[in-house]
Amino acid sequence: MTKYLIAFNDEWVPLHTAEELRSKSEASLAVLDDMKAAGVFLYADGGIDASTAVFSVVNNDGKPVFTDGPFVESKEHLGGFTVIDVPDDEAARYWAGRVAVALDWPQEVHRFPSDLDEIVERHAAPE
């Protein structure tokens, strides 16, 4: 099985009334219940945006330097996400489609690398 992240950017979501947000929450929770019943659900959360950033941290000569709030140069903010464990991209498409339809806003899907070798292969600078 492979883990996938289904996520949306907070900036992709137009303003909603309180009732619309409650309705979207109910619809998305129904999809999460279906994921749990299918045994593919790992974790989900949402309602996060720039206002929920507690702090940022960077490395400065081997020491962490903390700054209150979001990273200043960030233009996009994660709004919510779900992590699933499914056999293939097609299954990930199915669940991401269910989430996109339930919420009626775009989702982006990322496949987590299977191991360190895959991460190195994809991201290491040429030698």
Side-chain angles (χ1 to χ4, degrees):
M1 299 281 269
T2 305
K3 292 178 182 71
Y4 291 82
L5 172 73
I6 303 169
F8 67 90
N9 180 313
D10 182 59
E11 293 181 0
W12 300 343
V13 180
L15 290 176
H16 287 72
T17 65
E19 185 55 39
E20 288 172 325
L21 288 172
R22 286 185 185 93
S23 175
K24 301 248 183 203
S25 176
E26 289 176 20
S28 66
L29 289 174
V31 175
L32 296 183
D33 286 343
D34 289 347
M35 288 177 178
K36 290 172 186 173
V40 302
F41 177 84
L42 293 178
Y43 184 81
D45 216 331
I48 52 179
D49 59 23
S51 71
T52 63
V54 178
F55 57 82
S56 298
V57 60
V58 297
N59 173 34
N60 186 358
D61 294 325
K63 296 183 181 181
V65 176
F66 296 90
T67 306
D68 290 341
F71 188 67
V72 180
E73 296 177 20
S74 292
K75 295 179 183 173
E76 299 178 346
H77 300 280
L78 183 65
F81 63 93
T82 302
V83 180
I84 58 175
D85 193 8
V86 295
D88 53 32
D89 289 359
E90 192 59 34
R93 285 177 179 272
Y94 170 78
W95 290 111
R98 295 272 316 268
V99 172
V101 169
L103 291 172
D104 192 25
W105 56 64
Q107 302 293 308
E108 188 170 85
V109 179
H110 296 263
R111 182 185 323 107
F112 286 99
S114 58
D115 57 27
L116 179 59
D117 289 340
E118 184 178 347
I119 294 170
V120 170
E121 179 182 316
R122 292 189 343 205
H123 298 288
E127 295 182 17

